[in-house]
């Protein structure tokens, strides 16, 4: 708590960052005690999240191993750096959005990582929005908290880290409507909340370090198992002679109602505007679901917790990927695993 003794008083501080690129229309003024924001990882999600910060008036520096995406940002007037360490050396906050735990470890503790320059850091806050295991989040957070700040101003006595994975997918990242699940020191969460609300519309504080990562893998685990159960029931019903549209009406007015039946129905022809209505293109790729289930299974194994449904779900989505459907939305399990039929 002492680390963040005066941060509450900063939450109302209005900060207008004047050096916004003319290539980006400013959507609103930022309300944050921070200056430059570093962003590492400009994939489908990260690039759109960084864009949201820039549109909200933040001065942003970026890094990615993809030179084409770096050039795209550079052409728009955004500062690009060739190493994560260089981004950290010029930023007050650094946000990472990376594919896996190993990538996070490398960017933080690797040869050219944030901590490779020694124990004195410029950034007061690190935010990792990657979907990784909570054990890695806690390990990296401990390494960050053992460092010191070059400039102990605005009440910050030491650097802090938040794990803040997101829900909502590429469309929510594009529209700035992501949901953030955040673990770490509560005072750091409160200070960072304006940043989250520049990139999303909902934030939930989940408790201590690693709890944001835990919330994300548990959410996706439940989502996967729910989709498998609904898809299995629809496919069985079709095989026994009942149409999926009829089952959908029954599910959605009875105890089987869930997101996978009333919002994200996996049967082509039953619901418009969902991946099943467009040949399972877009949405949440099966390879990402398989990856998240692998993280959940590994996390459970690390603590000796039995997760039979997680293990089975991981096997099914891995098989789906191995059979060439890794880019299809995860609701495609209805067609590609259960051999369910389109609704006519």
């Amino acid at each position: 708590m002492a680390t963040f003794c005066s941060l509450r008083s900063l939450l109302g501080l209005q900060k207008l960052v004047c050096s916004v690129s003319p290539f980006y229309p400013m959507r609103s003024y930022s309300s944050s005690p921070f200056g430059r924001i570093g962003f590492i990882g400009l994939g489908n999600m990260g690039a759109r999240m960084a864009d949201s910060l820039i549109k909200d008036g933040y001065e942003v520096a970026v890094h990615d191993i993809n030179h084409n995406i770096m050039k795209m940002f550079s052409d728009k007037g955004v500062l690009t750096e060739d190493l994560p360490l260089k981004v950290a050396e010029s930023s007050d906050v650094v946000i990472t959005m990376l594919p896996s735990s190993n990538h996070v470890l490398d960017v933080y503790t690797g040869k050219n990582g944030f901590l490779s320059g020694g124990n004195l850091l410029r950034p007061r806050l690190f935010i990792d929005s990657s979907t990784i295991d909570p054990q890695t989040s806690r390990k990296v957070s401990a390494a960050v908290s053992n460092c010191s700040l070059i400039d102990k101003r605005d009440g910050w006595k030491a650097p802090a880290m938040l794990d803040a994975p997101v829900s909502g997918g590429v469309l929510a990242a594009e529209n700035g409507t992501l949901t953030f699940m955040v673990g770490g020191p509560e005072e750091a969460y409160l200070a960072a909340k304006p940043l989250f609300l520049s990139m999303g519309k909902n934030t939930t504080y989940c408790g201590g370090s690693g709890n944001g990562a835990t919330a994300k893998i548990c959410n996706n685990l439940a989502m996967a198992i729910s989709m498998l159960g609904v898809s299995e029931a629809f496919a069985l019903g079709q095989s026994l002679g009942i149409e999926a549209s009829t089952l959908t009406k029954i599910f959605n007015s009875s105890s089987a109602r869930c997101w996978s039946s009333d919002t994200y129905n996996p049967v082509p022809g039953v619901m418009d505007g969902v991946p099943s209505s467009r040949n399972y293109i877009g949405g949440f790729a099966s390879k990402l679901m398989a990856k998240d289930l692998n993280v959940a299974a590994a996390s459970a194994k690390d603590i000796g917790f039995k997760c039979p449904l997680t293990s089975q779900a991981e096997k099914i989505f891995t098989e789906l990927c191995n059979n060439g459907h890794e880019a299809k939305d995860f609701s495609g399990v209805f067609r590609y695993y259960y051999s369910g039929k389109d609704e006519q």
Side-chain angles (χ1 to χ4, degrees):
M1 185 67 71
T3 302
F4 311 101
C5 57
S6 65
L7 289 184
R8 288 188 187 275
S9 65
L10 292 172
L11 294 178
L13 178 65
Q14 297 295 317
K15 184 174 184 64
L16 171 61
V17 180
C18 298
S19 55
V20 181
S21 166
F23 295 96
Y24 285 90
M26 191 190 303
R27 186 169 58 210
S28 66
Y29 294 119
S30 61
S31 175
S32 169
F34 305 116
R36 177 176 289 165
I37 311 300
F39 207 106
I40 312 294
L42 302 172
N44 287 332
M45 296 292 292
R48 289 165 173 81
M49 292 165 68
D51 270 339
S52 291
L53 291 169
I54 295 164
K55 290 173 184 176
D56 252 11
Y58 288 99
E59 183 182 2
V60 176
V62 301
H63 169 76
D64 194 273
I65 60 173
N66 185 326
H67 295 293
N68 290 330
I69 193 73
M70 288 271 279
K71 185 177 186 303
M72 185 184 79
F73 274 84
S74 179
D75 288 347
K76 293 177 180 179
V78 178
L79 176 64
T80 60
E81 298 285 6
D82 59 356
L83 294 173
L85 178 60
K86 290 185 179 180
V87 173
E89 288 174 342
S90 64
S91 301
D92 296 315
V93 179
V94 179
I95 301 171
T96 48
M97 187 59 157
L98 301 164
S100 69
S101 298
N102 287 337
H103 290 94
V104 171
L105 285 170
D106 185 56
V107 165
Y108 277 83
T109 64
K111 181 180 179 182
N112 295 305
F114 302 144
L115 309 185
S116 63
N119 287 332
L120 283 176
L121 305 176
R122 170 176 168 171
R124 287 169 278 167
L125 180 61
F126 295 87
I127 300 171
D128 181 40
S129 288
S130 316
T131 298
I132 62 172
D133 64 277
Q135 294 91 330
T136 296
S137 288
R138 289 168 181 145
K139 177 180 179 180
V140 175
S141 178
V144 168
S145 64
N146 284 332
C147 295
S148 299
L149 287 172
I150 293 173
D151 184 3
K152 297 180 181 179
R153 57 189 172 90
D154 295 336
W156 292 77
K157 305 301 182 185
M161 182 175 177
L162 297 171
D163 48 287
V166 301
S167 179
V170 172
L171 184 60
E174 180 80 35
N175 295 330
T177 57
L178 291 167
T179 293
F180 286 85
M181 296 155 267
V182 189
E186 186 172 11
E187 296 289 345
Y189 162 71
L190 292 172
K193 198 167 183 180
L195 296 175
F196 295 136
L197 293 179
S198 285
M199 299 178 284
K201 66 175 182 178
N202 297 306
T203 68
T204 298
Y205 179 63
C206 302
S209 176
N211 282 10
T214 297
K216 176 62 187 289
I217 63 173
C218 289
N219 178 79
N220 282 19
L221 158 62
M223 182 170 69
I225 292 172
S226 170
M227 182 58 74
L228 289 174
V230 166
S231 295
E232 189 170 293
F234 281 143
L236 175 61
Q238 286 181 335
S239 297
L240 293 174
I242 188 170
E243 292 184 345
S245 57
T246 302
L247 272 180
T248 295
K249 293 176 183 177
I250 293 168
F251 285 7
N252 292 346
S253 60
S254 62
S255 55
R257 184 173 187 172
C258 63
W259 181 81
S260 296
S261 67
D262 70 4
T263 303
Y264 211 80
N265 197 288
V267 183
V270 170
M271 183 178 292
D272 294 330
V274 294
S276 63
S277 70
R278 50 180 185 267
N279 199 31
Y280 301 105
I281 294 172
F284 189 63
S286 293
K287 64 181 178 182
L288 296 179
M289 180 57 82
K291 179 211 119 179
D292 289 357
L293 288 168
N294 178 265
V295 171
S299 297
K301 184 178 180 180
D302 282 347
I303 61 171
F305 186 81
K306 293 182 179 179
C307 281
L309 295 182
T310 303
S311 299
Q312 187 61 30
E314 181 191 7
K315 290 178 183 177
I316 290 173
F317 281 102
T318 298
E319 180 178 331
L320 208 64
C321 294
N322 291 340
N323 288 336
H325 308 299
E326 67 275 4
K328 296 288 189 177
D329 180 73
F330 81 107
S331 63
V333 71
F334 169 77
R335 174 190 289 171
Y336 302 116
Y337 184 82
Y338 289 109
S339 300
K341 303 296 188 293
D342 293 9
E343 190 84 347
Q344 301 300 321

